[in-house]
Amino acid sequence: MALRLWGPLRVRIAVMAAAGTAVAVATVLLAADLLGTGEAENAIARAARTVAVSMAERLEPPLAAGDHEALVRTIRRAAERGGALLVVVFDHNRRVVAAEPVATPPGPVLGAWPVGDDDQIALTLGGVSVQASFQVIRNGGDDLGGLWLAVDRRPIDRALGQFRVRALIFAAGLVALAALLAWLAAGRITDPLDELGETVAAIGRGELATRHPVHGPEEMRRLAQRVNLMAEQLESTRAEQARIAAELDGQVRDRTRQVEQANRLLLNISHKDPLTHVENRMGFERELDKYLSLCRRSGQPLAVIMVDLDGFKEYNDTWGHPAGDQALAAVGTALQGRARASDTVGRLGGDESVMMWIP
């Protein structure tokens, strides 16, 4: 199973790409919305002003003639044709002289002559969003009055709403696409790293013969080469350690054999008489204990012969110590020549020798 060590990094890359794209798209959409809203506001304002100017031109004759009925007919036709939702006409004294449709009250804003340059205003009239434009009605250089004309803003508002919805859908798709592309692009980085992680894990488990394929981008090739070099060095080190361990094991076995031989030699020396090559007192006592234990278990008798050389001191003093040693060695040889393989011959000290056996 693949070791997905770098999976979280891949997720972070995708999330960061999506977040960055979202910020960029949001910035662009905000700027576009501001520009679009501004353009829409200017467009609806220009449309309202155009209709208001046209309406002022049509209302100038009846207003100059004081023909109220013609004035009402003119603004009523404008309202019926849908060019205006509300028309409020003022005379030169800035008093309202006509308003259509009558069922729609102009309210405090449109029912008054504007103050200053506030000749464009967006407001809600009877639950409907409208754009109102004020236009002075003139005859030559004389001001005959003025009018407020309100047009429906709902089409432009709907268009802006649709634009924003489409922009949000586009932004969401763009962010999702950026995240997907970042995920796929990150996979080209993290997948080789995961594969390299599997190789390193295998080497860590002791599979030092494992090698990683050298392919892909230059960085991955360098990493693979270094991992392979590490594996080769570890494998070489292990082989060298095995060789050294084998040598040490051989040396230990050799030393063990030498120590065992030395111990046997020391044991033999400690229990053998160097002159006669028979058991010394210590060796004889050790063998005596064995014989006694065996005789007690089996009920067999034990035979012992003690040998003492008469006049040995005078012989040794007369002929010298070498001659005395030869005599003692001859006694040991004679006793060994008469003994069986299971019998024991020993020298207790001086010229005293002993032979022990089970009859």
Side-chain angles (χ1 to χ4, degrees):
M1 182 177 179
L3 298 175
R4 295 298 174 188
L5 301 176
W6 299 94
L9 174 61
R10 187 176 185 180
V11 173
R12 287 197 296 271
I13 291 175
V15 170
M16 290 174 63
T21 304
V23 171
V25 171
T27 303
V28 172
L29 290 181
L30 179 60
D33 185 67
L34 292 175
L35 292 174
T37 302
E39 288 296 325
E41 293 291 341
N42 292 334
I44 191 67
R46 287 194 300 269
R49 180 173 296 280
T50 299
V51 176
V53 170
S54 176
M55 180 64 69
E57 292 175 352
R58 291 198 297 270
L59 293 180
E60 185 267 330
L63 190 61
D67 189 348
H68 185 267
E69 292 182 359
L71 184 69
V72 171
R73 284 196 303 271
T74 301
I75 61 177
R76 185 173 296 167
R77 282 196 300 269
E80 291 174 352
R81 291 173 182 173
L85 292 181
L86 177 66
V87 179
V88 181
V89 182
F90 300 86
D91 61 11
H92 66 282
N93 293 320
R94 300 186 177 183
R95 292 177 303 185
V96 176
V97 294
E100 285 293 337
V102 178
T104 304
V109 177
L110 302 185
W113 193 281
V115 178
D117 297 329
D118 295 334
D119 58 351
Q120 288 283 343
I121 188 170
L123 71 162
T124 301
L125 191 63
V128 178
S129 177
V130 299
Q131 179 73 29
S133 178
F134 184 80
Q135 181 64 37
V136 177
I137 303 174
R138 291 187 174 89
N139 182 8
D142 299 329
D143 291 345
L144 299 179
L147 66 89
W148 274 112
L149 184 139
V151 297
D152 194 352
R153 286 181 54 93
R154 287 176 294 182
I156 195 70
D157 290 340
R158 281 195 297 270
L160 284 174
Q162 292 172 356
F163 166 76
R164 287 169 180 153
V165 170
R166 287 194 294 268
L168 287 176
I169 294 174
F170 171 75
L174 193 59
V175 170
L177 178 61
L180 177 61
L181 293 178
W183 174 266
L184 296 176
R188 295 178 62 86
I189 299 174
T190 58
D191 288 348
L193 288 175
D194 283 331
E195 294 174 0
L196 186 63
E198 290 182 351
T199 301
V200 173
I203 294 173
R205 292 192 299 268
E207 302 171 12
L208 301 184
T210 304
R211 297 293 183 270
H212 192 75
V214 180
H215 59 74
E218 179 64 23
E219 295 79 4
M220 290 305 304
R221 289 201 298 271
R222 290 181 181 177
L223 279 175
Q225 289 170 352
R226 293 187 179 183
V227 168
N228 292 339
L229 178 60
M230 176 188 69
E232 292 172 1
Q233 291 174 343
L234 289 174
E235 192 173 23
S236 176
T237 301
R238 173 184 282 183
E240 181 65 16
Q241 289 175 343
R243 185 188 64 78
I244 294 174
E247 290 182 357
L248 290 175
D249 185 63
Q251 293 176 3
V252 169
R253 286 197 298 269
D254 292 342
R255 291 291 185 271
T256 301
R257 284 195 298 269
Q258 293 173 4
V259 170
E260 290 175 350
Q261 291 174 357
N263 287 336
R264 286 194 296 269
L265 179 60
L266 289 174
L267 182 63
N268 186 55
I269 292 173
S270 65
H271 291 85
K272 293 292 184 181
D273 181 64
L275 178 61
T276 60
H277 303 294
V278 297
E279 300 290 333
N280 59 15
R281 177 181 289 275
M282 183 181 297
F284 179 78
E285 290 177 351
R286 181 193 63 181
E287 293 298 319
L288 177 61
D289 290 337
K290 293 180 181 179
Y291 274 80
L292 291 175
S293 177
L294 179 61
C295 291
R296 290 191 189 98
R297 290 196 304 271
S298 63
Q300 294 176 297
L302 177 64
V304 179
I305 295 177
M306 301 291 294
V307 178
D308 184 9
L309 297 180
D310 294 336
F312 177 73
K313 184 177 184 305
E314 291 78 5
Y315 180 83
N316 196 43
D317 292 341
T318 301
W319 300 102
H321 290 290
D325 291 342
Q326 290 178 358
L328 293 174
V331 172
T333 301
L335 290 175
Q336 283 183 318
R338 300 295 186 274
R340 299 171 300 182
S342 59
D343 300 341
T344 299
V345 177
R347 180 187 175 198
L348 300 181
D351 59 349
E352 295 178 352
S353 298
V354 63
M355 182 175 175
M356 178 175 56
W357 73 96
I358 296 177

